[in-house]
Amino acid sequence: MTDIVPDTLVDARYKILTRIGSGGMADVFCAEDQQLGRKVALKLLHRRFASDPEFVERFRREASSAAGLSHPNVVAVYDRGEWDGTSYIAMEYLPGRTLKDVIRQEAPIEPVRAIDFTLQILKAARFAHRRGIIHRDLKPHNVMVDDEDRARVTDFGIARAGASDMTETGSIMGTAQYLSPEQAQGLAVSPVSDLYSVGVILFELLTGELPFDAEAAVSIALKHVSEQPPAPSALNPAVPEGLDAIVLWALEKDPADRPQDADAFIVALEQMRGQLVAGDGSGQRTAMFAPPIAASEAAYAPPSGSYDTVPPNYGDQPSFVHEPAPRRRPPWWVWLLVVLALAGLGVGIWALTRPNEISVPGVVGRDQQSAASTLTARGLNVDVRRVTSADKKRDTVLAQAPGPGAKVKKGTTVRLTVSNGPQQVRVPSVDGQPQQQAIAALEQQGLQLGRVRKQPDGTVPAGNVIRSSPEAGTVVDKGSKVGLIVSSGPKLVAVPNVIGFTRGGAIAALRAQGFVPAVTEQVTTAKPPDTVISESPTGQQRPGATIAIVVAKAPAQVTVPDVTGQPADAATQQLRALGFEVRTSTQAVTDQTQDGVVVDERPVAGTKLDRGAPVRIVVGRFTVPTTPTTPPPTTPTTPTVPPAAGGQ
């Protein structure tokens, strides 16, 4: 999964703070719940599982089942959901160490403290078992421990509620060092399988070592099936004999020989702890705990409600251990020990006197290595005969003789008929071939077409095979599926938007993405000169594609000629030939020679203008002048002067 950086908001609710760790199935982060204001441990499923609908459905169901577990020794599950193509679980956040950290730093752990840790794990397991949930991966890595040694079991991520219908019976789930023998063999599991894992944890607490370890997980699993574990006291002499017996009881190979429920395991450990605290460090009385018979276990009924709570004063002296009060008669558990001791004595006498015969286990259908390990662990010899089988994979046991359940003496040879698998062929080389041609080549070899996956490739043409899976030359069973990775051509790249860039900037940006720029110019005054005004094509294109860009070009300037005195038609033709836009207006003239002739131009001749600029010419229009009429001169009239009055 791509690393998630702090402050990422998951599902619009959980803000990532820090990474806590990563496992085989999921990454775990410390996050803050934005709705409730609390820290949570957020487990995000790896994307390789998120693409498997069946796995996601099981993950969802298990989260829902785990959310129903409310117990002081179980980490609470708050929420589940989907985000960014995967699923998540939000759990209670617990600061502190894992029990594995405690073991690494402090083991071997003092027996009483080791018992205290184990009792808390058992109470969590018992609570889940009563609700039909088997953890399947109990290990110290999945147990959180606080500063007061309170233990909380987490990671029910691969548990299944009861008999889930989401996976096939027989699928192996868990961590090799803590697997029960039945898990290691791919058999059905039960709550008793979890108790085996708890036995391994207790062994590791007491010794600092694992009962079975090896470099390969398969080797460890085989040891769980076929080897007997050492007593813890062989590695740590401080472990009392009685505690040895309890640990080895939990580590019995046959589930029927182990404690049949968490209650039986808890009772044995609490009795052992009581003896250690009381000062009986030898633990001899608890040493009588041989695997109890079903009737003796059925006779035990644990006190109601005495194990599913953690007392508030839990510490060096847990409250679930009580000093025995003085009694006038032996307590009930003494009688139980006596019954168990007698039963153990009877079993021992029977073992010493029974005939040296054993029952042959059934191994048909298992792989050769596992079958041989099971038979040799019972003291039987193995002889293998291999045959070709068209429908059984290689190394599968097809038959056995003597058959399952037969009573034979130790050292008897069991003959196994083992499959050599179907006929094998080599994967042909189909690299570079067209897809249909490659399919035909596979079918000719007796192989089937598997998954076809498209992948960009700059060297293989689209539709041709890049490579096969398995690769050419690999030896496989005839009829096997072979996947093909087919080229979808070069990976498409987004064409950068360079409109508005300068010519040089646009060319550099396109070349940086693997494109070939093709430049044309367009005269315009709408954009500054040398600026990109358009590009084509856009969107996603293959590297190496040609991208056409159009760059603005300033119009060329032309000198306005002197056209005065020319006829209007000739002047217009000359100006248009130079790229000017001619505009015409008229002016009255009295000189008949100026009729139809340019008498003025604007702008004046000699001015430099862009091509396409307007030039106005003024054309003379002759008008006959009108002669004004002059009125005749007026003769002044001499006024008549009347005679003077005295002159008569």
Side-chain angles (χ1 to χ4, degrees):
M1 173 178 289
T2 304
D3 197 21
I4 299 178
V5 298
D7 295 330
T8 298
L9 194 61
V10 174
D11 206 8
R13 177 170 180 176
Y14 302 103
K15 184 172 76 171
I16 298 297
L17 301 179
T18 59
R19 176 187 287 272
I20 297 175
S22 181
M25 188 184 70
D27 293 312
V28 185
F29 299 87
C30 176
E32 182 179 0
D33 186 337
Q34 300 294 288
Q35 292 185 13
L36 300 179
R38 65 183 176 187
K39 287 184 178 179
V40 298
L42 197 69
K43 175 175 288 188
L44 284 167
L45 186 67
H46 289 321
R47 295 191 190 280
R48 65 177 181 273
F49 298 120
S51 61
D52 183 345
E54 182 176 318
F55 192 97
V56 170
E57 176 63 15
R58 187 171 71 245
F59 185 87
R60 182 190 67 79
R61 291 192 182 185
E62 291 157 3
S64 299
S65 299
L69 298 179
S70 178
H71 186 275
N73 295 119
V74 176
V75 175
V77 174
Y78 296 143
D79 186 22
R80 60 159 293 278
E82 285 75 38
W83 173 79
D84 194 26
T86 188
S87 299
Y88 70 83
I89 294 177
M91 302 178 294
E92 182 180 4
Y93 173 71
L94 297 175
R97 300 181 292 172
T98 66
L99 188 58
K100 187 67 176 180
D101 294 330
V102 174
I103 292 171
R104 290 192 186 108
Q105 297 163 10
E106 303 178 31
I109 306 296
E110 184 269 328
V112 171
R113 187 178 177 216
I115 291 173
D116 290 344
F117 282 132
T118 307
L119 285 170
Q120 294 180 77
I121 298 170
L122 284 170
K123 291 174 182 179
R126 178 179 61 187
F127 185 78
H129 293 170
R130 288 176 176 175
R131 285 150 184 82
I133 298 175
I134 304 170
H135 192 290
R136 298 173 182 263
D137 194 24
L138 283 172
K139 56 187 177 182
H141 313 69
N142 289 338
V143 180
M144 296 300 299
V145 179
D146 65 15
D147 293 339
E148 297 181 0
D149 275 1
R150 291 189 180 91
R152 308 281 293 279
V153 179
T154 186
D155 202 356
F156 281 86
I158 64 170
R160 293 188 300 185
S164 171
D165 59 354
M166 296 308 299
T167 57
E168 296 178 359
T169 300
S171 59
I172 299 177
M173 307 180 74
T175 304
Q177 288 86 347
Y178 304 90
L179 281 179
S180 65
E182 55 269 26
Q183 284 176 282
Q185 296 175 79
L187 303 176
V189 299
S190 68
V192 177
S193 306
D194 278 352
L195 302 187
Y196 183 96
S197 300
V198 176
V200 177
I201 295 172
L202 179 54
F203 186 104
E204 191 176 10
L205 284 165
L206 293 169
T207 65
E209 304 289 340
L210 289 160
F212 305 112
D213 207 357
E215 292 185 2
V218 172
S219 300
I220 299 171
L222 289 174
K223 289 184 177 182
H224 279 292
V225 173
S226 60
E227 292 188 12
Q228 293 300 319
S233 59
L235 302 177
N236 178 12
V239 178
E241 181 182 351
L243 194 50
D244 266 349
I246 295 173
V247 173
L248 295 177
W249 179 28
L251 296 180
E252 287 286 355
K253 305 296 181 191
D254 190 338
D257 294 336
R258 297 178 210 144
Q260 291 303 287
D261 54 33
D263 284 323
F265 204 161
I266 289 170
V267 168
L269 286 177
E270 287 189 336
Q271 290 175 359
M272 184 71 247
R273 189 187 191 284
Q275 294 177 32
L276 293 174
V277 172
D280 183 6
S282 66
Q284 293 299 315
R285 294 160 70 185
T286 310
M288 290 188 290
F289 266 96
I293 59 176
S296 61
E297 284 192 349
Y300 168 69
S304 176
S306 59
Y307 305 121
D308 287 337
T309 57
V310 173
N313 64 335
Y314 188 92
D316 293 334
Q317 183 68 21
S319 62
F320 53 67
V321 176
H322 303 280
E323 292 295 334
R327 301 182 182 224
R328 295 183 180 180
R329 60 181 182 179
W332 66 269
W333 52 265
V334 171
W335 296 108
L336 176 61
L337 292 177
V338 171
V339 171
L340 293 175
L342 292 174
L345 180 61
V347 171
I349 293 172
W350 175 80
L352 292 173
T353 58
R354 66 174 177 166
N356 189 23
E357 289 188 349
I358 57 175
S359 177
V360 178
V363 294
V364 174
R366 291 163 59 177
D367 67 273
Q368 178 187 337
Q369 187 175 13
S370 172
S373 297
T374 299
L375 294 170
T376 55
R378 294 290 183 96
L380 300 169
N381 296 324
V382 178
D383 178 48
V384 175
R385 181 174 67 93
R386 305 187 72 89
V387 297
T388 299
S389 174
D391 58 348
K392 297 294 182 182
K393 67 179 182 179
R394 185 177 178 83
D395 294 332
T396 300
V397 176
L398 304 176
Q400 67 177 90
K407 301 294 183 181
V408 299
K409 292 183 179 181
K410 282 192 175 182
T412 298
T413 296
V414 178
R415 291 179 175 81
L416 300 180
T417 302
V418 179
S419 170
N420 254 338
Q423 179 185 351
Q424 294 192 311
V425 296
R426 291 186 181 276
V427 177
S429 176
V430 294
D431 298 0
Q433 295 181 10
Q435 181 176 332
Q436 292 304 318
Q437 181 179 335
I439 294 173
L442 294 176
E443 292 175 346
Q444 189 175 358
Q445 285 291 97
L447 300 171
Q448 299 182 50
L449 176 65
R451 179 186 176 192
V452 176
R453 181 163 58 89
K454 297 286 187 178
Q455 178 177 304
D457 192 287
T459 58
V460 178
N464 285 18
V465 175
I466 300 173
R467 62 181 179 277
S468 61
S469 177
E471 294 183 350
T474 305
V475 177
V476 298
D477 292 339
K478 193 171 185 177
S480 297
K481 290 186 177 182
V482 177
L484 297 178
I485 300 173
V486 178
S487 172
S488 59
K491 184 177 181 180
L492 298 181
V493 179
V495 177
N497 183 358
V498 296
I499 294 176
F501 283 34
T502 63
R503 180 198 304 253
I507 291 173
L510 292 170
R511 286 177 175 169
Q513 295 298 318
F515 297 113
V516 178
V519 182
T520 58
E521 295 180 337
Q522 179 178 316
V523 175
T524 180
T525 57
K527 295 286 184 181
D530 219 31
T531 301
V532 177
I533 58 178
S534 68
E535 66 177 318
S536 178
T538 58
Q540 299 279 335
Q541 301 295 331
R542 294 179 179 178
T546 298
I547 307 300
I549 59 174
V550 179
V551 177
K553 180 180 179 182
Q557 290 194 318
V558 183
T559 302
V560 177
D562 184 0
V563 294
T564 57
Q566 294 185 25
D569 291 343
T572 298
Q573 185 176 358
Q574 181 181 356
L575 291 170
R576 285 177 176 170
L578 293 174
F580 296 119
E581 176 189 347
V582 180
R583 297 177 182 177
T584 304
S585 59
T586 61
Q587 178 180 315
V589 295
T590 58
D591 186 350
Q592 190 172 1
T593 62
Q594 292 181 325
D595 185 35
V597 174
V598 176
V599 295
D600 195 8
E601 62 181 314
R602 304 189 191 97
V604 297
T607 304
K608 289 187 177 296
L609 296 177
D610 294 336
R611 288 184 183 275
V615 175
R616 181 174 294 277
I617 59 175
V618 181
V619 180
R621 287 289 180 263
F622 173 70
T623 303
V624 177
T626 302
T627 304
T629 302
T630 304
T634 303
T635 302
T637 303
T638 302
T640 301
V641 179
Q648 295 185 357

